Amino acid sequence: MANPVLAALSSAVAFSYGILVMFYYWSLTVRSGIYFRKSTAAFRSELATARDRFWNLSKQSNSLYHRFLTLHDGFKFHYVTNVAPDDSRGATASKPLVILIHGFPDSWGIWRKVLDSTALRESCSLVAVDMPGYGGSDILKKYSATEVLDKFTEFIVALRERYGFDDPNNEKPREKVIIVAHDWGAVISNRLAAEAPQLADRFILTNGPLIGLVTSNIKSHDSSAVKMLKIFLHSPLRSRSMLGKALYTLRPVLRQVLLSGYIFALQLPLPFIRIQGTSGDFAWLRMVHLLANGTVDDYTVKDATESMATSLGPSAAECATETFDHETYPKGIIKQQFSEKFINMVSYYRHGTSVGRWNKSIETITALHSLGGGDDLGRRSSRAGVFDDGPKGALRAKATVVWALNDHALDQRLNLDGIGDYLVHNSQVISLPRSGHFTPIERESGVALQKIVEWAVAGEKEDVNSVVQAVYPGASVTLRT
Ligand SMILES: *[C@@H]1O[C@H](CO)[C@@H](O)[C@H](O)[C@H]1NC(C)=O
Ligand SMILES: *[C@@H]1O[C@H](CO)[C@@H](O)[C@H](O)[C@H]1NC(C)=O
Ligand SMILES: *[C@@H]1O[C@H](CO)[C@@H](O)[C@H](O)[C@H]1NC(C)=O
């Protein structure tokens, strides 16, 4: 039973820490000059151009098309694709389908570098989707695990159908479905790979935590530290080295708490969140994008405005546009202030999306069941006994984890130690030593990611280690299962 005094105390500590972090970020934006630097007229016009390029539904910028997919309850997903709207289903079904899912605080635009690959454009159907509450997709009332994961499942199943998969009358050999995901997209995809593995043939997951693994690593660090502390307290003089050892063991956990300070700031009451998302002319977002870059030297106005356009989503101007088939943005986001959108984006942290129970709807169960029939998944699940299931949250589909080691948001040891127990046969972990958290957009890691997707699309024939090293010297496959 939770002690109410303890609970109140810990929420007070979390609140104070959140406030502290918020002020810390605010001071960072002030000290770096971002906060009071008013955007110039040139920046504003460049931003308007970027938003038009990313969000004007009647434009085919860079040969990408805007499309919507409406679920049974009317919820609308927005996505961008290389597949021309008049393409017959037969043509697309003979190519792999690649679904790209972004993270916080982005949208489909974070994949702009990966989408540029001509090899991918020619060899597969690309779908870069906006998560609920982000970019041009609809909003949810609650971002619980059940709401979000049911929505994604229905979306992926409907996409597979739209692009000619799972059709019993289709005689052509079945092509693959690949899910590529970053940050929060990867948190969600980890859950799909664990709890709905039949949705895709391979998951490529970059710099998003596998919550079950991180939790178990934190627990084991905590419990060893507690044991050492007990020994120390029992005879402080004789075992004083234990104090140092305990602190050393706790280091990754403390480091993660510091690195995740923003998560505490995002738990604050909504008025704080509105201020955080918008004050100082979006100073917080501008700083995140700047830091996302690693080196500041080659950060151009184009980079800055494209990143902002990615986070901000369509403006009122783009909300008045429509697609070739007269689809418009969902009602929920037309006239929406950015402070409200920001609250939707942040809700994933607040509503327990990553850890809550996924109570699958009957429709989800039925849809997954019909996908599972016939292929090797049926065999796998009949073989999997109590002991083969692996630890809680273990993935049950083939996965390629691509991890940039200079991630300032996620501690490497907590996220990677023991990951092998969570992966099925024919999975791998690839590490990128010089890149930070935003792998899809950083120059070196963006290309590496692009090549890894190309490798998967081309049937995984080559050795992925040489594929990635050819474009990113020093990168390596650190684990194969
Ligand atoms: C959207 O793009 C179309 C086609 O390029 C253009 O005619 C229209 O003015 C744009 N709409 C807005 C609101 O910018
Ligand atoms: C799970 O969802 C169904 C409806 O889809 C509902 O009837 C049931 O009460 C839910 N169970 C839990 C434990 O939330
Ligand atoms: C910085 O980010 C921009 C996109 O926002 C990207 O074009 C550029 O390559 C990045 N620089 C590095 C060093 O990754």
Side-chain angles (χ1 to χ4, degrees), residues 299-339:
Y299 194 63
T300 62
V301 172
K302 184 162 183 275
D303 291 333
T305 51
E306 288 193 338
S307 296
M308 275 313 271
T310 296
S311 290
L312 294 176
S315 72
E318 291 86 47
C319 280
T321 62
E322 57 178 50
T323 60
F324 71 98
D325 53 355
H326 310 296
E327 290 266 18
T328 56
Y329 284 112
K331 287 198 186 68
I333 72 159
I334 292 174
K335 298 199 183 124
Q336 182 193 43
Q337 297 284 329
F338 183 71
S339 57

Side-chain angles (χ1 to χ4, degrees), residues 134-151:
Y134 286 75
S137 284
D138 224 333
I139 54 174
L140 290 173
K141 283 205 182 71
K142 190 127 186 82
Y143 292 81
S144 65
T146 296
E147 277 292 318
V148 171
L149 296 170
D150 270 350
K151 289 279 177 292

Side-chain angles (χ1 to χ4, degrees), residues 52 56 58-59 317-318 321:
D52 180 65
N56 182 335
S58 55
K59 268 212 164 92
E318 291 86 47
T321 62

Side-chain angles (χ1 to χ4, degrees), residues 101-104 131 152 179 181-190 205:
I101 311 177
H102 65 87
F104 176 84
M131 300 214 299
F152 265 107
I179 291 181
H182 173 241
D183 185 77
W184 257 105
V187 173
I188 285 163
S189 301
N190 276 324
L205 305 154

Side-chain angles (χ1 to χ4, degrees), residues 100-111:
L100 304 125
I101 311 177
H102 65 87
F104 176 84
D106 303 308
S107 70
W108 75 267
I110 188 100
W111 301 108

Side-chain angles (χ1 to χ4, degrees), residues 112-113 289 292-296 298-300 302-304 306-307 441-445:
R112 56 194 182 272
K113 297 265 166 78
H289 290 309
N293 221 231
T295 55
V296 178
D298 61 348
Y299 194 63
T300 62
K302 184 162 183 275
D303 291 333
E306 288 193 338
S307 296
I441 210 65
E442 274 191 38
R443 189 186 304 117
E444 243 188 335
S445 53

Side-chain angles (χ1 to χ4, degrees), residues 184-452:
W184 257 105
V187 173
I188 285 163
S189 301
N190 276 324
R191 291 206 62 172
L192 295 176
E195 296 166 72
Q198 50 279 75
L199 285 175
D201 302 281
R202 179 168 292 280
F203 287 77
I204 299 175
L205 305 154
T206 181
N207 288 64
L210 216 169
I211 301 293
L213 170 65
V214 175
T215 312
S216 136
N217 278 339
I218 289 180
K219 276 191 191 141
S220 77
H221 282 272
D222 281 356
S223 71
S224 332
V226 166
K227 278 187 200 129
M228 292 171 192
L229 275 179
K230 278 189 180 150
I231 298 178
F232 166 74
L233 290 173
H234 191 252
S235 50
L237 282 181
R238 208 147 35 95
S239 44
R240 46 186 185 280
S241 67
M242 278 295 161
L243 182 61
K245 282 197 188 128
L247 289 177
Y248 183 79
T249 308
L250 271 184
R251 214 165 57 164
V253 177
L254 296 174
R255 187 159 171 265
Q256 185 62 60
V257 171
L258 287 178
L259 295 178
S260 313
Y262 70 96
I263 295 178
F264 289 83
L266 297 179
Q267 305 294 336
L268 292 171
L270 294 180
F272 290 98
I273 304 290
R274 288 195 186 89
I275 295 172
Q276 206 171 340
T278 54
S279 72
D281 200 9
F282 311 111
W284 188 80
L285 275 180
R286 285 189 287 146
M287 187 178 68
V288 168
H289 290 309
L290 189 63
L291 295 178
N293 221 231
T295 55
V296 178
D297 302 355
D298 61 348
Y299 194 63
T300 62
V301 172
K302 184 162 183 275
D303 291 333
T305 51
E306 288 193 338
S307 296
M308 275 313 271
T310 296
S311 290
L312 294 176
S315 72
E318 291 86 47
C319 280
T321 62
E322 57 178 50
T323 60
F324 71 98
D325 53 355
H326 310 296
E327 290 266 18
T328 56
Y329 284 112
K331 287 198 186 68
I333 72 159
I334 292 174
K335 298 199 183 124
Q336 182 193 43
Q337 297 284 329
F338 183 71
S339 57
E340 293 311 310
K341 187 186 259 327
F342 193 66
I343 285 175
N344 281 274
M345 293 159 76
V346 160
S347 293
Y348 288 76
Y349 293 96
R350 302 168 64 93
H351 298 172
T353 323
S354 64
V355 290
R357 202 176 101 84
W358 178 10
N359 177 19
K360 295 191 179 98
S361 69
I362 296 295
E363 291 76 14
T364 298
I365 292 170
T366 314
L368 289 176
H369 185 78
S370 71
L371 284 186
D375 65 6
D376 66 337
L377 267 156
R379 289 202 298 281
R380 194 182 305 160
S381 57
S382 66
R383 194 201 56 204
V386 184
F387 299 109
D388 300 308
D389 275 351
K392 190 165 181 282
L395 310 189
R396 287 158 62 219
K398 286 183 270 182
T400 305
V401 176
V402 183
W403 202 268
L405 300 181
N406 281 339
D407 193 321
H408 294 303
L410 302 167
D411 181 80
Q412 184 187 324
R413 287 181 57 194
L414 293 183
N415 279 279
L416 295 183
D417 284 359
I419 196 171
D421 296 344
Y422 289 74
L423 302 176
V424 294
H425 178 63
N426 208 349
S427 297
Q428 50 285 114
V429 178
I430 301 174
S431 53
L432 307 175
R434 289 179 297 279
S435 307
H437 179 71
F438 289 86
T439 45
I441 210 65
E442 274 191 38
R443 189 186 304 117
E444 243 188 335
S445 53
V447 176
L449 209 48
Q450 187 179 311
K451 293 294 167 194
I452 293 166

